[in-house]
Amino acid sequence: MINIRDLKFSYPGGFALDIPEISLSEGKIYLLTGPNGSGKTTLLEILALLLPAAYREFLYRGGPLPDSERDLLAIRRKMTLMEQNPYLFRTTVGENLAYGLSIRRIGKQEIGERVDFILKLLGLQDFRGRKVGELSGGEKQKVALARALLLRPEVLLLDEPTANVDRASVEFIEEKIKEYHRERKGIVIWATHNREQAYRVGDEMLCLLEGKLVPGTIDNLYFGEVRQDGGETYFFFKPELKASVPARKPGPARLIIQPEEIIVSLSPLASSARNSFSGRVVRIEELGRGVSISVDIGVPMQAFITRASYTELGLKLGGRVYLTFKATAVSVV
Amino acid sequence: MDYIINGITGAFQLIIHANPELLRIVGVSLRVSGTALFFAAIVGVAIGFRVGTGTFRGKKAIVILLNTLMALPTVVVGLVGYSFLSRRGLLGDWGLLYTPYAMMIGQFVLATPIIASLTLAAVQAMDRRVSLTARTLGASEPQRNWKILAEARFAVMAAVITGFGRIFAEIGVSSMLGGNIQGYTRNITTAIAYETGKGEFALGIALGIILLVIALGINALFQIRQ
């Protein structure tokens, strides 16, 4: 539904976003992860057509973005961005919710019905006449979410929607967004720092690092050096720990391994995979669709396996395991 | 002291009996200052908003100019206005000198920079997220601008009220451009000065009380609305 090629954006201060290609398909929830300052908010604002970026091609539903401001507004009205620290207009909850609809010239009766519906959906029935100044942080976040969902956007962009809210509200907000997405389809792009959340709600992961999209997640991101050794190329996590990687120019580099690409076993595997490490399990976390295993192989490394594999392997904290992955399963950037 | 006590007693009698001269003077003040404020609010808010939200060359110079004009002495405006509107002046043919219109023009010149400057400060202090939120909810450019103004409404209202305070209580422009003609351009401040000069304290005090009550009423109304 959204295809962009050669996306470039830079702030006067120097930070730059440089994405050769990004394609987002209808019906999916994309989890946008990355460290602070990696460009998540900037990318969301560009996707929401709020920041003007340079690009070779920006297709929305197969068509290029229009030149005229009026036509562009029509597309912008199919998208909504909920900011990390959303601003609620200094009026009542009801008027905040109605704003997006009233500027679309929707009739008062329909606005009233839709506002009532969304308030009920988010358990905010008694909030309609409340002034926003009287709301708690969690309530404000819910109202901002209600305001975004009410517009039924094709593209819903969420910038850390559960940051700064209590645990109960996090689960509630996640559930409502998933519920909305199941019913509405469209695209949800959800920026988060929370890896548990990423596994719980996301269909696909987009990871940003210093303004560039990198494959995988930030779970297994290592800073080290690429060197040639005996005709092979290795990434050195530290002097005594290395992994075989595809041929690349020597020098400082970052290695990323997707947790899903790592095979966990109780004994060494006889396979063509070039990398096999042994270590002890230091953490086990159940995350939505599977289980995340953290193993100390000299550096912490996360693997993501299914619940069935986890049960079958009978993994325990402190137990010895082997992590195996192909040289081609890693990305060196 | 007797003359003051007598003046106060007389003032209340004039107010209670709705003295026609008193009402005429108050009427001139309200009509002249109200009209001047209406136009100054439109122009001042527009200038303040445009300068406050825009980025362009010379913005700093405009801000400095507006801030300087805020402190413009009323007699200077009266003097400049007089030089333009007097028979020998550039706009002498219009025959506006010593009319309520001349007073309106002078008061408009006095109030506009204040309203513009305070609106500008209000808009600049506005949370950056207002604009972003309005846009992400689908607002067009004019709708977004309107929303920013709506969010800054109390500060903008305060700017307009400050402008009103400035012109409702000024005397320089009113006396120099209005001429204090009874029943025509005599307003509260020129009447107070004139009556006091004659030793007629009752009318002066009555007008002073009304001036304070109007200023108090407007500010109280604003506080309640806020």
Side-chain angles (χ1 to χ4, degrees):
Chain A
M1 194 155 106
I2 296 178
N3 300 86
I4 312 173
R5 286 167 70 191
D6 285 337
L7 176 68
K8 289 187 200 306
F9 178 83
S10 58
Y11 285 108
F15 171 81
L17 201 68
D18 184 358
I19 300 176
E21 187 163 14
I22 181 168
S23 292
L24 305 165
S25 316
E26 211 164 0
K28 284 191 174 170
I29 297 182
Y30 292 89
L31 263 296
L32 181 59
T33 62
N36 271 341
S38 57
K40 298 193 292 294
T41 301
T42 304
L43 180 59
L44 288 180
E45 289 186 2
I46 290 170
L47 290 172
L49 306 180
L50 298 171
L51 266 186
Y55 49 78
R56 187 143 62 94
E57 189 176 62
F58 194 134
L59 300 176
Y60 185 79
R61 290 198 171 281
L65 287 184
D67 291 329
S68 88
E69 191 53 42
R70 199 178 147 188
D71 294 338
L72 202 61
L73 177 65
I75 292 183
R76 195 150 51 76
R77 284 185 169 171
K78 293 175 181 173
M79 307 171 167
T80 303
L81 166 67
M82 179 183 163
E83 298 145 78
Q84 183 178 357
N85 183 14
Y87 181 87
L88 296 181
F89 300 125
R90 288 191 285 184
T91 173
T92 62
V93 168
E95 284 180 24
N96 262 281
L97 298 181
Y99 179 72
L101 297 175
S102 63
I103 57 175
R104 286 168 173 77
R105 311 258 183 266
I106 288 171
K108 274 194 176 167
Q109 196 186 337
E110 190 184 337
I111 291 178
E113 287 166 6
R114 283 171 71 173
V115 168
D116 282 340
F117 174 78
I118 203 78
L119 284 172
K120 204 171 159 194
L121 186 77
L122 290 176
L124 299 167
Q125 293 93 321
D126 304 329
F127 282 65
R128 192 175 186 145
R130 294 260 297 267
K131 294 269 184 196
V132 295
E134 301 166 6
L135 304 180
S136 70
E139 288 167 345
K140 278 183 184 166
Q141 209 78 5
K142 282 184 195 172
V143 171
L145 179 65
R147 190 173 62 180
L149 297 184
L150 182 70
L151 300 174
R152 302 182 53 74
E154 287 182 357
V155 181
L156 177 64
L157 302 124
L158 305 161
D159 194 356
E160 311 229 12
T162 56
N164 316 318
V165 296
D166 59 86
R167 177 93 202 151
S169 297
V170 169
E171 285 173 15
F172 181 85
I173 288 172
E174 278 181 10
E175 200 41 54
K176 291 302 165 191
I177 293 171
K178 283 200 283 187
E179 215 175 285
Y180 166 80
H181 184 251
R182 271 196 298 275
E183 188 251 329
R184 178 69 178 89
K185 305 294 181 216
I187 297 177
V188 174
I189 304 161
W190 185 324
T192 182
H193 261 107
N194 185 332
R195 53 191 282 277
E196 284 182 47
Q197 189 167 57
Y199 283 113
R200 242 184 347 249
V201 298
D203 295 315
E204 277 190 33
M205 202 86 80
L206 300 169
C207 182
L208 267 177
L209 191 64
E210 292 172 6
K212 292 184 170 58
L213 271 183
V214 293
T217 71
I218 52 166
D219 286 342
N220 292 327
L221 167 67
Y222 305 95
F223 293 83
E225 197 176 352
V226 170
R227 276 189 247 153
Q228 305 286 337
D229 194 359
E232 264 203 78
T233 310
Y234 290 99
F235 175 86
F236 283 78
F237 297 92
K238 41 191 181 179
E240 70 284 8
L241 188 68
K242 62 181 183 180
S244 175
V245 296
R248 191 186 181 281
K249 204 169 74 180
R254 293 181 194 85
L255 176 93
I256 299 155
I257 313 168
Q258 294 199 48
E260 290 87 346
E261 297 285 344
I262 299 173
I263 300 165
V264 181
S265 61
L266 297 174
S267 54
L269 282 183
S271 75
S272 61
R274 304 288 297 157
N275 298 302
S276 186
F277 301 93
S278 90
R280 296 207 178 272
V281 177
V282 290
R283 201 176 63 206
I284 298 171
E285 270 181 288
E286 291 202 31
L287 297 175
R289 292 173 287 127
V291 181
S292 170
I293 313 290
S294 184
V295 180
D296 183 5
I297 59 163
V299 290
M301 188 171 280
Q302 266 88 45
F304 191 73
I305 59 175
T306 61
R307 283 170 197 277
S309 301
Y310 170 66
T311 313
E312 204 175 293
L313 289 168
L315 297 178
K316 294 223 164 22
L317 277 178
R320 179 161 290 280
V321 292
Y322 290 82
L323 302 184
T324 307
F325 53 90
K326 291 181 173 182
T328 51
V330 304
S331 304
V332 183
V333 290
Chain B
M1 277 303 283
D2 281 356
Y3 70 95
I4 294 181
I5 294 165
N6 290 339
I8 293 170
T9 316
F12 278 105
Q13 276 175 352
L14 286 173
I15 294 169
I16 290 162
H17 294 110
N19 177 275
E21 176 62 7
L22 181 86
L23 295 183
R24 242 193 319 272
I25 292 168
V26 173
V28 170
S29 264
L30 287 175
R31 201 170 57 248
V32 169
S33 296
T35 309
L37 185 73
F38 175 76
F39 290 107
I42 293 172
V43 176
V45 170
I47 292 173
F49 183 83
R50 179 73 190 88
V51 178
T53 55
T55 41
F56 51 88
R57 263 179 85 131
K59 178 173 170 167
K60 256 194 186 151
I62 293 177
V63 174
I64 293 168
L65 181 70
L66 286 175
N67 286 336
T68 309
L69 289 178
M70 274 176 82
L72 204 60
T74 58
V75 283
V76 172
V77 177
L79 179 68
V80 174
Y82 186 90
S83 65
F84 273 89
L85 299 176
S86 67
R87 219 185 279 176
R88 286 178 299 164
L90 206 61
L91 307 173
D93 293 346
W94 293 9
L96 291 176
L97 192 66
Y98 302 140
T99 68
Y101 302 110
M103 294 161 76
M104 287 172 194
I105 292 168
Q107 292 194 353
F108 168 84
V109 172
L110 276 179
T112 302
I114 291 180
I115 296 172
S117 203
L118 295 179
T119 301
L120 187 155
V123 169
Q124 279 186 329
M126 183 55 50
D127 195 319
R128 171 194 174 264
R129 293 174 301 163
V130 176
S131 168
L132 189 72
T133 304
R135 288 180 70 212
T136 193
L137 292 173
S140 61
E141 198 69 14
Q143 287 169 332
R144 181 198 68 139
N145 291 345
W146 190 245
K147 194 67 196 171
I148 294 172
L149 266 185
E151 287 297 286
R153 61 191 176 278
F154 293 120
V156 172
M157 272 167 69
V160 174
I161 287 170
T162 308
F164 180 74
R166 166 95 157 142
I167 59 175
F168 199 62
E170 70 76 31
I171 187 164
V173 164
S174 297
S175 59
M176 291 176 81
L177 301 181
N180 194 29
I181 301 166
Q182 189 177 17
Y184 186 49
T185 60
R186 180 169 296 174
N187 66 3
I188 293 177
T189 51
T190 56
I192 289 173
Y194 179 68
E195 296 298 324
T196 307
K198 281 197 313 181
E200 295 284 339
F201 294 108
L203 186 58
I205 293 171
L207 289 167
I209 291 169
I210 289 172
L211 192 120
L212 282 174
V213 167
I214 291 173
L216 188 78
I218 287 172
N219 279 292
L221 201 71
F222 170 63
Q223 287 300 326
I224 292 165
R225 276 288 296 144
Q226 203 170 11

